[in-house]
């Protein structure tokens, strides 16, 4: 049985070490096709990307023999632009930063961290939230409470108590004791020692819950009766809308 002369063997780039390959490399990154050189991919020897193409191939290939990387292909073009010309991307900064971290391209990571978008998130906002006790855990608690109350409802609400100082925390506890409601369902944030205000923290809560795919809004919570303090000094109602 004869084989057609134009038949392409599958996995042509697996049969030998990379030293036997053409210096031109074809890539399939999450379904996006790229062509570049081996030297470009190995420009930063300590990176994970360089390690993928050092020695024996460490990647699978697709049906056409292209090396396959299971990452978002859309943003790989920005990685290649940087490797080719040291051009730091000005678009899709957050997404490119994630890819730079995955490929462990240290010079690009550092330059992206100097950009306003990444600097603001990592140095300003995240450093602030790191000073708010149990912030991440409280976000997850809010979501669990909201989901538990969502049965046969369009919206569910979560009461949040936000206190900035230790003094406010004590007053908030007194206020909680006078509230006619299940105190276990109140999620408390604070106190913290940093410049940002209560409104800043409320914006952060909304931002991080929305980042998980939820539709959410908030407003001051006004107690109906028997409340010794202005409820909006501490308490806010977050509304989750499900449909």
């Amino acid at each position: 049985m004869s084989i057609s002369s134009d038949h392409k063997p599958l996995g042509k780039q697996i049969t030998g070490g990379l030293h036997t390959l053409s210096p031109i490399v074809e890539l399939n990154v999450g379904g996006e096709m790229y062509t570049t050189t081996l030297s470009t991919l190995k420009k930063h020897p300590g990176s994970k990307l360089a390690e993928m193409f050092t020695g024996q191939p460490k990647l699978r290939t697709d049906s056409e023999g292209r090396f396959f990387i299971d990452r978002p292909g859309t943003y790989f073009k920005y990685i290649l632009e940087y490797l080719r010309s040291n051009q730091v991307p000005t678009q899709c900064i957050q997404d490119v930063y994630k890819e730079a971290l995955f490929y462990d391209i240290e010079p690009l990571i550092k330059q992206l961290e100097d950009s306003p978008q990444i600097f603001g998130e990592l140095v300003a906002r995240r450093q602030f939230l790191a000073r708010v006790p149990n912030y991440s855990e409280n976000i997850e608690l809010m979501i669990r409470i909201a989901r538990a109350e969502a049965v046969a409802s369009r919206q569910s609400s979560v009461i949040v108590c936000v206190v900035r100082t230790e003094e406010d925390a004590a007053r908030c506890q007194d206020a909680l004791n006078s509230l006619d409601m299940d105190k276990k369902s109140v999620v408390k944030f604070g106190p913290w020692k940093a410049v940002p205000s209560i409104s800043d923290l409320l914006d952060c809560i909304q931002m991080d819950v929305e980042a998980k795919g939820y539709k959410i809004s908030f407003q001051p919570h006004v107690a109906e009766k028997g409340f010794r303090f202005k409820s909006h000094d501490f308490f806010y109602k977050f509304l989750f809308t499900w449909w």
Side-chain angles (χ1 to χ4, degrees):
M1 180 178 177
S2 62
I3 301 177
S4 174
S5 59
D6 61 352
H7 176 76
K8 293 182 179 180
L10 300 182
K12 62 183 180 180
Q13 293 182 328
I14 301 180
T15 55
L18 282 172
H19 61 280
T20 65
L21 297 178
S22 165
I24 307 301
V25 179
E26 293 184 353
L27 300 172
N28 176 346
V29 185
E32 299 280 343
M33 309 308 166
Y34 294 94
T35 301
T36 186
T37 65
L38 201 57
S39 59
T40 295
L41 296 171
K42 297 170 66 176
K43 183 174 181 179
H44 297 284
S47 69
K48 181 177 179 180
L49 184 62
E51 290 178 359
M52 291 178 182
F53 297 92
T54 300
Q56 292 292 329
K58 299 176 178 64
L59 296 169
R60 293 172 292 172
T61 58
D62 64 14
S63 60
E64 296 297 320
R66 294 174 291 233
F67 286 112
F68 178 73
I69 302 176
D70 194 13
R71 296 293 295 180
T74 304
Y75 310 115
F76 191 73
K77 66 181 179 182
Y78 299 109
I79 300 295
L80 273 184
E81 285 177 5
Y82 178 76
L83 294 175
R84 288 167 173 161
S85 60
N86 290 323
Q87 180 178 340
V88 179
T90 57
Q91 303 177 51
C92 308
I93 300 297
Q94 297 281 357
D95 294 303
V96 176
Y97 180 66
K98 292 177 184 177
E99 297 310 296
L101 288 173
F102 173 79
Y103 294 114
D104 195 21
I105 304 173
E106 191 65 30
L108 178 56
I109 291 171
K110 290 181 178 179
Q111 291 184 67
L112 288 173
E113 287 179 348
D114 284 336
S115 69
Q117 298 94 322
I118 304 299
F119 179 87
E121 174 67 16
L122 295 181
V123 177
R125 198 176 84 91
R126 285 294 160 189
Q127 287 298 316
F128 158 53
L129 295 179
R131 301 183 185 190
V132 180
N134 304 313
Y135 177 81
S136 297
E137 294 85 347
N138 284 339
I139 293 290
E140 296 301 327
L141 178 58
M142 285 179 62
I143 292 172
R144 288 199 301 272
I145 293 172
R147 291 175 68 94
E149 296 182 358
V151 178
S153 301
R154 184 172 187 179
Q155 291 183 320
S156 54
S157 63
V158 179
I159 304 301
V160 168
C161 174
V162 183
V163 292
R164 185 174 176 182
T165 66
E166 294 288 351
E167 180 182 4
D168 284 345
R171 295 176 64 208
C172 176
Q173 188 58 51
D174 288 341
L176 270 175
N177 292 335
S178 67
L179 268 178
D180 184 20
M181 65 184 300
D182 182 4
K183 299 174 183 58
K184 292 182 180 179
S185 66
V186 178
V187 182
K188 177 186 171 187
F189 286 85
W192 64 87
K193 294 181 180 180
V195 173
S197 66
I198 286 177
S199 63
D200 293 325
L201 181 65
L202 291 169
D203 288 340
C204 287
I205 293 171
Q206 181 173 12
M207 185 185 306
D208 288 329
V209 173
E210 288 180 339
K212 295 178 181 291
Y214 296 92
K215 185 177 180 180
I216 190 175
S217 62
F218 67 88
Q219 61 191 36
H221 175 63
V222 180
E224 295 180 357
K225 59 182 179 177
F227 203 64
R228 290 195 283 168
F229 304 103
K230 293 180 181 179
S231 56
H232 59 262
D233 285 348
F234 306 115
F235 295 95
Y236 298 84
K237 178 187 289 186
F238 278 80
L239 290 173
F240 287 72
T241 301
W242 303 103
W243 50 275

